[in-house]
Amino acid sequence: MTIVRNKDLTAWNTFGLKVSCACFVEYGSVAELEELWKRNRDGLGLPETGGAGDGTAFPSPILHIGRGSNLLFTKDFPGTVFHSDIKFIEAGGESCGITAGETAGDRRTDVEVGAGVLWDDFCRWSAEQGLWGPENLSGIPGETGAAAVQNIGAYGVEAKDFIRMVKCFDCITGKVVAFRPSECRYGYRESMFKTSAKGRYVVTSVCFSLSSGPNPKLEYGNVRAAVDKALEDTGKSLTPALVRDVILSVRNSKLPDPAVIGSAGSFFKNPVVPRSDYERVASIARIGHSDDCQVPHFDTGSGFIKIPAAWLIEQCGLKGYRDGNAAVYERQPLVIVNLTGEASPEEILAVEKKVSDSVYSKFGIRLQPEVEHI
C-alpha cells in the first residue's frame, strides 16, 4: 500500500496535464482495500463525505481512477485519489463464479483479470492464447477495471459483449459483491458505475467469457478489408493475433499515442438523434456540398440514427484547429490533444467549447463529451 500527500498527477492522466491531488493512495489487493475502508469508512466511497476525523482520514472528495485515460482534470484535485494495483490474469471457471450445473459453453474460456491490469496487456494475452473477444479493442489505453466501468468500445465491439461478471468492493457495506452484465445497466459508454451507483462500487476484477473457437467481428467500417489484405500479404490464417495486429495498425494511423501526444482518445460521443434531426443534418450537408452528398450514419432502430461526431466536427472546418497549446488532432477530429505537452486544463476546455459550439451552430446538435470532467 502506498500513501502520498500532494501527489503530482501528470503521469496519471493521459492528457499529461500538470495537476496534482491532496492525497494519492494505491492498494494492491482486496484485503488492502478493506483495510483502507475500515480506517476511513466514512469517506472511502462517497464523494460528498469526508473522513472519520480520527487522524487517519483521507481528504475529501474521493476519486477512484485507472490510468486517467478517460479523464479531464479541470484543476488540481483537492481530495484523495485511489488507484488499484491489483494485477493478475487467471483462466478458469471457478474464479468467475461458474457453479454446478452451469456452463459457459464448450468453446468458451472464462478469464478473471485484476482491475489494475493494463487493458492492452489483457488484449495481448488473449490473442497469444488464441482466445477471441477483446482483439477489436486492442490499443485502447487504460486499465481493465476502468474498461468495465466505461464499457469501452471500438470497431463494432463493446466490453459488455464478453464481460461475464464484474467483481466490486461495496464502499457502503465493506463487502465484496459481483454483478452480471445485465445488472450493470450497460449502454453506449455508460454503466451504473458511472450513473446511479457512481462512487459506491470499486471494481476489483472483471471476469470475461472468451471464445476458443473462431469468432471474428469484422463488419465495422473497413476492418474486413484490412483483415483480408493482411491475410493475403502475410499468408497467415485468421487468428485473434492477426486481427489484433490489424486493429493496432488502423488505430495507430488515426489516433495519437498518448505517450507522445497527450489525449484522452475519443473526446466526444457519437450523437444518436431522431431521424428528423438526421434529415436536417443531411439537408445542411447538401447545401454545403452537393445534392448527392452522403452523411455517414448508422440506423440504430426505433427511429434513431447515430452520426459520427468526427464527421460533424470536420464539416465545421475544425480538423487541426489550435488554441494555444491545445488542438483538435489533425488526423482524427474526434480527439482533442495536448499538442505541445504544456496545455492547461483551461486550454483543453476552450477547444472543447469551440468544437461543441461550432457543431451546434451549424447542425443544431450538441455534442456530449465522452471524457469525464473532474
Side-chain angles (χ1 to χ4, degrees):
M1 185 189 307
T2 302
I3 301 176
V4 180
R5 301 284 176 172
N6 300 314
K7 173 74 170 179
D8 180 1
L9 296 177
T10 304
W12 291 90
N13 72 101
T14 56
F15 263 118
L17 299 178
K18 295 176 174 59
V19 293
S20 63
C21 64
C23 185
F24 181 87
V25 179
E26 185 174 66
Y27 53 90
S29 67
V30 175
E32 288 187 353
L33 184 56
E34 290 174 337
E35 178 185 342
L36 289 166
W37 181 82
K38 290 175 182 177
R39 287 172 52 185
N40 199 75
R41 67 182 62 190
D42 290 338
L44 180 55
L46 297 179
E48 66 271 16
T49 61
D54 60 359
T56 63
F58 300 109
S60 63
I62 301 296
L63 175 67
H64 293 262
I65 69 170
R67 284 287 165 176
S69 60
N70 197 52
L71 300 180
L72 170 58
F73 283 96
T74 60
K75 59 183 178 180
D76 288 338
F77 188 70
T80 303
V81 169
F82 281 82
H83 175 257
S84 169
D85 197 39
I86 301 175
K87 294 180 179 178
F88 66 88
I89 300 177
E90 294 180 358
E94 183 177 350
S95 65
C96 291
I98 295 179
T99 59
E102 182 183 13
T103 178
D106 293 339
R107 307 198 75 181
R108 308 296 295 183
T109 298
D110 287 277
V111 181
E112 184 174 4
V113 184
V117 173
L118 290 176
W119 174 257
D120 196 54
D121 285 351
F122 167 56
C123 293
R124 180 186 301 107
W125 178 90
S126 299
E128 290 172 348
Q129 302 300 311
L131 296 172
W132 296 86
E135 62 279 353
N136 285 38
L137 305 184
S138 294
I140 295 179
E143 296 176 354
T144 300
V149 170
Q150 176 72 3
N151 186 27
I152 60 172
Y155 303 105
V157 174
E158 292 181 313
K160 70 175 180 60
D161 297 338
F162 50 95
I163 287 177
R164 178 175 178 80
M165 182 181 297
V166 182
K167 294 185 177 182
C168 304
F169 181 81
D170 186 337
C171 294
I172 300 296
T173 66
K175 298 182 181 299
V176 175
V177 295
F179 298 98
R180 300 287 186 178
S182 59
E183 298 172 305
C184 295
R185 301 182 205 134
Y186 281 126
Y188 175 51
R189 307 297 181 268
E190 290 290 351
S191 72
M192 73 169 185
F193 306 113
K194 295 179 65 178
T195 53
S196 60
K198 185 174 182 178
R200 175 167 182 173
Y201 300 108
V202 178
V203 176
T204 56
S205 65
V206 186
C207 295
F208 299 95
S209 180
L210 308 183
S211 175
S212 53
N215 191 27
K217 307 293 184 184
L218 308 177
E219 303 310 315
Y220 187 93
N222 65 347
V223 172
R224 181 173 292 278
V227 168
D228 287 344
K229 186 176 187 306
L231 290 171
E232 181 180 351
D233 291 347
T234 64
K236 296 180 179 178
S237 57
L238 183 61
T239 63
L242 183 137
V243 175
R244 168 179 161 79
D245 288 343
V246 169
I247 293 296
L248 288 174
S249 178
V250 172
R251 285 186 64 88
N252 291 338
S253 69
K254 296 181 178 180
L255 300 173
D257 181 350
V260 179
I261 303 177
S263 82
S266 298
F267 196 97
F268 297 98
K269 297 178 182 180
N270 292 320
V272 179
V273 300
R275 179 169 288 277
S276 59
D277 285 2
Y278 164 75
E279 295 294 349
R280 184 184 68 248
V281 170
S283 176
I284 294 170
R286 286 193 292 270
I287 293 173
H289 296 277
S290 63
D291 288 342
D292 60 352
C293 176
Q294 297 295 314
V295 178
H297 64 281
F298 175 75
D299 192 336
T300 65
S302 303
F304 286 87
I305 307 293
K306 181 186 289 185
I307 305 174
W311 184 88
L312 295 169
I313 297 168
E314 187 166 1
Q315 296 307 303
C316 293
L318 293 175
K319 197 173 186 179
Y321 169 81
R322 179 174 178 178
D323 185 345
N325 295 294
V328 175
Y329 191 51
E330 60 184 2
R331 295 185 189 175
Q332 170 51 274
L334 194 57
V335 178
I336 295 177
V337 296
N338 180 355
L339 189 63
T340 66
E342 299 296 326
S344 65
E346 292 78 13
E347 287 175 310
I348 301 293
L349 289 168
V351 173
E352 175 190 5
K353 186 175 187 303
K354 173 68 174 180
V355 170
S356 179
D357 289 350
S358 297
V359 170
Y360 183 76
S361 177
K362 186 176 182 67
F363 295 108
I365 293 176
R366 180 66 71 182
L367 295 180
Q368 298 299 317
E370 181 175 323
V371 173
E372 184 175 2
H373 294 53
I374 303 297

